[in-house]
Amino acid sequence: MKNNGLTILSDNGMVRGFFLNSRNIVQQAFQYHQTAPVVTAALGRLLTASAMMGKMLKNDSDLLTLQIEGEGPVKTILATANRKGQVKGYPGVSIVDIPLKPNGKLDVSGAIGLGTLNVLRDNGEGEPYVSRTELISGEIAEDITHYYATSEQTPTVCALGVLVDRDYSVKSAGGFLLQLLPGADDEVITALENNLQKVQNVSSMFEHTSNQEIANILMENIPFHITEEWGADYFCNCSRERTEKVLLSLGKKDLASLIEEGKPVELCCHFCDAKYQFTPEDMKKLLIQGSKK
Ligand SMILES: [Zn+2]
């Protein structure tokens, strides 16, 4: 895995930052889901945010999930990540056709509409911890910033960008998350505000500039050091065994009626293009195994 992510901490301990060049992740998502450009941008931004937020998790087995439920044509978007830089996601609707904004940009907020952002943290023990906030813009970066301000009381700046090429592939994608830590003083806040003025276009910045250089721009006059260089990739952990569990979770009655129909069943993974076929014979075995447990 290539190191496309960077975590930094200011020497005075007042600011931490996450930077991710997510082109490979968003391109893989586009290939799996064959999304229209505006959906590629929306899903790509959410995947990028989830990858950086996943780096803040405590344990390798913890999962962070971002879920958008909107009234717009894309309906829902989900992205999930862990601390190891493994990210995956999917949109509710892949093909959405809405006009560009007057400034020529993809209308991500128009595709998402009004709605909510759910942030789920799952440590594998019991129910996940869910935090629900209203979308304030539907552009995703502002919504993540708003989430941190209201739900976590952590002043945060999130910026995300995806640039889709003419052939619908992903030309560039990336994002950063800067957080003020307890004790941050006015001097640091003013310096950060000044530095943020220099950011015009996030996706083109990640097209031409390395994470380290972007960190240098955003942290000008705030001495900092790198705490981790990390890699993040689109990764799906689906398997035949997991899919069997999904079939079993239908319940014996439904499984039995599928067997009775006598036709093979194909289950497709939401996150990647894997397909799992089950013949009536396979399902009979599952049913027997299931009743033994
Ligand atoms: Zn999969």
Side-chain angles (χ1 to χ4, degrees), residues 194-225:
N194 287 335
N195 297 342
L196 281 163
Q197 305 274 327
K198 295 176 215 158
V199 179
Q200 299 296 329
N201 185 315
V202 181
S203 54
S204 73
M205 187 164 80
F206 277 90
E207 187 181 2
H208 303 293
T209 323
S210 71
N211 285 331
Q212 169 87 55
E213 287 167 303
I214 294 169
N216 289 343
I217 295 167
L218 287 164
M219 296 293 285
E220 197 183 331
N221 297 319
I222 310 170
F224 69 95
H225 54 277

Side-chain angles (χ1 to χ4, degrees), residues 1 11 15 20 49 64 80 136 151 189 212 217 240 247 270:
M1 209 187 315
D11 294 346
V15 188
L20 174 65
L64 174 115
T80 185
I136 55 160
S151 288
I189 294 169
Q212 169 87 55
I217 295 167
R240 192 167 174 91
L247 266 179
H270 282 308

Side-chain angles (χ1 to χ4, degrees), residues 25-176:
I25 296 168
V26 184
Q27 173 63 18
Q28 184 63 69
F30 161 68
Q31 284 174 350
Y32 280 146
H33 302 299
Q34 294 296 310
T35 36
V38 70
V39 184
T40 307
L43 175 62
R45 288 182 194 178
L46 202 68
L47 286 166
T48 305
S50 74
M52 292 189 285
M53 292 168 74
K55 290 305 289 181
M56 301 180 200
L57 294 168
K58 290 211 166 61
N59 306 303
D60 276 356
S61 56
D62 292 356
L63 269 187
L64 174 115
T65 302
L66 300 178
Q67 191 183 33
I68 283 178
E69 294 171 330
E71 292 170 5
V74 74
K75 294 191 172 121
T76 59
I77 316 176
L78 184 140
T80 185
N82 62 18
R83 197 175 67 165
K84 295 183 280 183
Q86 297 173 330
V87 194
K88 60 181 179 176
Y90 63 87
V93 177
S94 292
I95 307 292
V96 164
D97 190 17
I98 54 170
L100 296 173
K101 289 201 273 197
N103 64 7
K105 293 201 168 182
L106 295 166
D107 191 1
V108 170
S109 57
I112 289 174
L114 297 171
T116 53
L117 168 70
N118 300 324
V119 180
L120 292 83
R121 285 190 181 78
D122 189 354
N123 60 9
E125 295 162 22
E127 290 291 298
Y129 177 78
V130 186
S131 164
R132 202 176 167 84
T133 48
E134 296 264 305
L135 294 175
I136 55 160
S137 79
E139 292 287 331
I140 302 179
E142 289 91 337
D143 303 306
I144 302 279
T145 296
H146 176 70
Y147 155 77
Y148 274 110
T150 54
S151 288
E152 301 210 359
Q153 286 82 43
T154 308
T156 301
V157 178
C158 178
L160 304 164
V162 174
L163 186 62
V164 178
D165 217 338
R166 285 201 191 119
D167 65 359
Y168 289 8
S169 68
V170 178
K171 198 167 187 196
S172 71
F176 62 81

